[in-house]
């Protein structure tokens, strides 16, 4: 385990009441974090979504042999004469996986299937659709293949040994979050196990006396806890190991006990609620005893109250447990998760940073916006008559989870941006894109 960074990069931001921009907050978080390094070996069939802990080096040339890229006829490219038709006599058929042992003489060719090894001396394949096969007397041995002038060049449709990847070179780099194609690529190299980082352990709880968990009756004034479920799902999608610590009432002793349990068992604590004005004081007092947590005023809407920082563990040398305290409003909790926690968790998990994909789309309506804060609206981005367009999903209050559920993107109006007229391009974050 690497030692914790002596300068955590958080303290300078704790001073003063200055508003941070979303970008400043993201940069401060990224600068503070130390990625996990705790490799474990897993069978390839269990590696989807895991973070590679070491480069995967190819033990072989890929492809291992020169082979045909097409179904057609293999021959010597030197037989082609500029401006002249070419006529060849098939002397056999080559299937993938069955190398050719015989000879191929001048004026001869072989019927070849895609992926079959190119026989020594043959360097060119004419695809079936670019030649004409004339049946001759005496059955197949009388066939002739006619190639019109100019349809093919010497060397065409031959895949070269090692052209995808040379033996000894990395097929995939450490930090990669493995996707289906990557799993196939590793299999194509004959590798059955890979070194991945162990999953990041994220302890999750919700705070608020008004919250009830699923299965409990709703008494007067109470509401169901939804953040724990939306955040649990978001964490699961990122491949995190979630430790569900349930609901915590707004009482300092309960908060402290739960945080201590979380610190003992997890790499990260993710909470929602309890950081807005009404609750912040008791939360602040508890957190001040446990670490160096900054209560940031991020210039954004929704999601302004947000706290981040290291909770120091008792054992010397142990890396800190990172706290991300998100606002309680259900939309604000998810927006701040996507804006601040998602990439940070991937970074901690050892993954190469992968921001949410950003598209530019024309907005179908005007937005009022003043410079000096970042605004996130829930939108539906879809193809329009002149490229991508985006429309909002109705009422945008920070507590209206339905607007987030209906959305497939966040419309992000940047810190310096002013009002936007209908038809102007805006940035959208695709929060439901892969990982
Ligand atoms: P807070 O940040 O604790 O002041 O909460 C802000 C608003 O979000 C309040 O209306 C809370 O009732 C609501 N809220 C807080 N936590 C949750 C949660 N886990 N699920 C649903 N709503 C919540
Ligand atoms: Mg609360």
């Amino acid at each position: 385990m690497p030692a914790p960074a002596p300068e955590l990069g958080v303290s300078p931001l704790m001073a003063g009441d200055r508003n941070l921009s979303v970008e400043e907050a993201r940069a401060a978080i990224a600068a503070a974090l130390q990625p996990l390094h705790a490799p474990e070996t897993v069978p390839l069939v269990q590696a989807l979504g895991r973070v590679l802990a070491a480069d995967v080096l190819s033990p072989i040339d890929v492809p291992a042999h020169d082979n045909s890229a097409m179904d057609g006829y293999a021959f010597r490219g030197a037989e082609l004469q500029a401006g002249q038709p070419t006529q060849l006599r098939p002397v056999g058929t080559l299937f993938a996986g069955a190398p050719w042992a015989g000879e191929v003489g001048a004026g001869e060719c072989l019927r070849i299937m895609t992926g079959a090894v190119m026989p020594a001396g043959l360097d060119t394949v004419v695809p079936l659709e670019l030649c004409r096969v004339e049946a001759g007397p005496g059955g197949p041995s009388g066939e002739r293949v006619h190639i019109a002038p100019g349809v093919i060049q010497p060397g065409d449709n031959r895949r070269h040994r090692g052209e995808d990847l040379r033996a000894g070179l990395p097929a995939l780099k450490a930090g990669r979050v493995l996707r289906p194609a990557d799993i196939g690529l590793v299999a194509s190299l004959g590798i059955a196990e890979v070194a991945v980082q162990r999953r990041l352990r994220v302890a999750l709880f919700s705070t608020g006396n008004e919250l009830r968990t699923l299965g409990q009756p709703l008494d007067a004034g109470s509401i169901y806890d939804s953040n724990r479920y939306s955040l649990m799902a978001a964490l699961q999608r990122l491949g995190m190991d979630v430790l569900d610590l349930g609901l915590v009432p707004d009482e300092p002793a309960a908060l402290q006990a739960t945080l201590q349990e979380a610190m003992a068992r997890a790499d990260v604590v993710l909470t929602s609620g309890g950081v807005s004005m009404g609750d912040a004081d008791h939360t602040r007092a508890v957190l001040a005893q446990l670490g160096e947590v900054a209560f940031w005023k991020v210039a954004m809407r929704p999601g302004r109250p947000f706290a981040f920082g290291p909770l120091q563990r008792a054992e010397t040398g142990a890396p800190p447990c990172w706290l991300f305290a998100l606002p309680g409003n259900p939309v604000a909790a998810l927006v701040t998760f996507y804006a601040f926690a998602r990439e940070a968790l991937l970074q901690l998990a050892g993954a190469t940073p992968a921001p949410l994909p950003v598209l530019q789309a024309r907005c179908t309506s005007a937005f009022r916006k003043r410079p000096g804060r970042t605004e996130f609206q829930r939108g539906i981005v879809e193809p329009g008559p002149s490229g991508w367009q985006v429309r909002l999903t109705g009422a945008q209050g920070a507590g209206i989870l339905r607007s987030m559920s209906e959305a497939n993107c966040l419309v992000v109006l940047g810190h310096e941006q002013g009002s936007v007229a209908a038809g102007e391009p805006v940035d959208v974050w695709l929060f439901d894109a892969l990982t």
Side-chain angles (χ1 to χ4, degrees):
M1 286 271 172
E7 178 49 75
L8 290 162
V10 178
S11 319
L13 298 169
M14 295 181 77
D17 265 353
R18 189 168 77 86
N19 275 356
L20 291 179
S21 71
V22 168
E23 275 64 41
E24 285 174 311
R26 285 161 58 88
I29 294 169
L33 300 175
Q34 294 284 323
L36 175 82
H37 188 69
E40 61 188 26
T41 301
V42 296
L44 187 58
V45 292
Q46 289 166 22
L48 181 67
R50 303 297 299 271
V51 179
L52 266 189
D55 292 354
V56 173
L57 302 180
S58 179
I60 53 173
D61 282 337
V62 181
H65 312 276
D66 287 10
N67 67 85
S68 176
M70 305 290 278
D71 286 346
Y73 291 89
F75 63 103
R76 287 182 186 78
E79 311 253 8
L80 297 166
Q81 301 291 322
Q84 303 287 318
T86 308
Q87 185 181 304
L88 300 165
R89 191 165 65 82
V91 293
T93 300
L94 263 178
F95 294 95
W100 176 257
E103 294 286 316
V104 182
E108 294 178 343
C109 65
L110 289 174
R111 177 96 162 82
I112 194 166
M113 309 301 159
T114 305
V117 175
M118 290 292 284
L122 305 193
D123 57 5
T124 307
V125 174
V126 60
L128 285 181
E129 57 274 23
L130 293 185
C131 60
R132 182 172 61 80
V133 182
E134 181 193 359
S141 61
E143 278 180 359
R144 293 292 177 273
V145 175
H146 296 274
I147 308 171
V151 298
I152 195 114
Q153 301 297 316
D156 279 359
N157 302 311
R158 172 175 58 154
R159 294 196 285 229
H160 291 263
R161 171 183 183 149
E163 77 176 19
D164 291 351
L165 190 59
R166 290 254 164 233
L169 293 184
L172 293 170
K173 296 282 185 98
R176 177 106 179 162
V177 179
L178 293 169
R179 302 169 306 137
D182 304 328
I183 301 285
L185 178 61
V186 175
S188 76
L189 307 178
I191 298 174
E193 293 183 327
V194 283
V196 296
Q197 303 291 3
R198 74 157 168 76
R199 290 182 194 275
L200 197 71
R201 249 171 249 133
V202 183
L204 175 66
F205 63 86
S206 296
T207 69
N209 291 339
E210 77 282 21
L211 300 179
R212 298 291 176 270
T213 204
L214 298 185
Q216 290 180 329
L218 271 193
D219 40 328
S222 62
I223 57 170
Y224 283 120
D225 172 11
S226 61
N227 292 344
R228 199 155 40 95
Y229 298 90
S230 54
L231 293 171
M232 195 182 306
L235 291 168
Q236 284 167 345
R237 181 183 273 184
L238 292 182
M240 306 287 151
D241 187 1
V242 182
L243 178 62
D244 181 3
L245 296 181
L247 290 176
V248 177
D250 292 313
E251 289 159 21
L255 180 62
Q256 173 150 6
T258 309
L259 280 168
Q260 269 163 340
E261 183 187 355
M263 288 164 68
R265 296 175 62 190
D267 305 299
V268 173
V269 190
L270 185 66
T271 70
S272 68
V275 283
S276 59
M277 289 306 273
D279 306 302
D281 286 349
H282 89 255
T283 307
R284 211 180 282 252
V286 170
L287 290 173
Q289 291 170 26
L290 299 176
E292 207 183 336
V293 173
F295 281 71
W296 283 341
K297 290 184 187 157
V298 184
M300 66 190 292
R301 199 179 75 159
R304 204 167 119 104
F306 169 70
F308 164 74
L311 303 174
Q312 295 300 346
R313 303 188 214 241
E315 322 93 86
T316 47
C321 176
W322 294 97
L323 173 79
F324 292 80
L326 309 181
N329 266 315
V331 173
L334 273 176
V335 167
T336 47
F337 179 86
Y338 288 122
F340 303 124
R342 179 189 167 278
E343 267 169 84
L345 294 175
L346 289 171
Q347 182 185 345
L348 278 171
T352 306
L356 288 176
V358 181
L359 271 187
Q360 287 240 311
R362 282 173 204 290
C363 54
T364 57
S365 55
F367 295 107
R368 293 253 304 278
K369 154 88 169 61
R370 58 179 170 79
R373 72 177 183 202
T374 303
E375 291 189 11
F376 297 85
Q377 322 250 3
R378 277 70 72 201
I380 296 174
V381 65
E382 58 202 355
S386 53
W388 292 107
Q389 65 184 32
V390 63
R391 62 191 160 88
L392 297 191
T393 56
Q396 295 280 314
I400 303 176
L401 197 49
R402 194 158 65 93
S403 68
M404 191 83 182
S405 167
E406 286 170 357
N408 64 3
C409 70
L410 287 170
V411 178
V412 184
L413 303 178
H415 193 81
E416 302 301 344
Q417 197 166 352
S419 292
V420 178
E424 275 188 53
V426 290
D427 278 355
V428 306
W429 291 5
L430 301 178
F431 58 73
D432 273 337
L434 298 173
T435 59

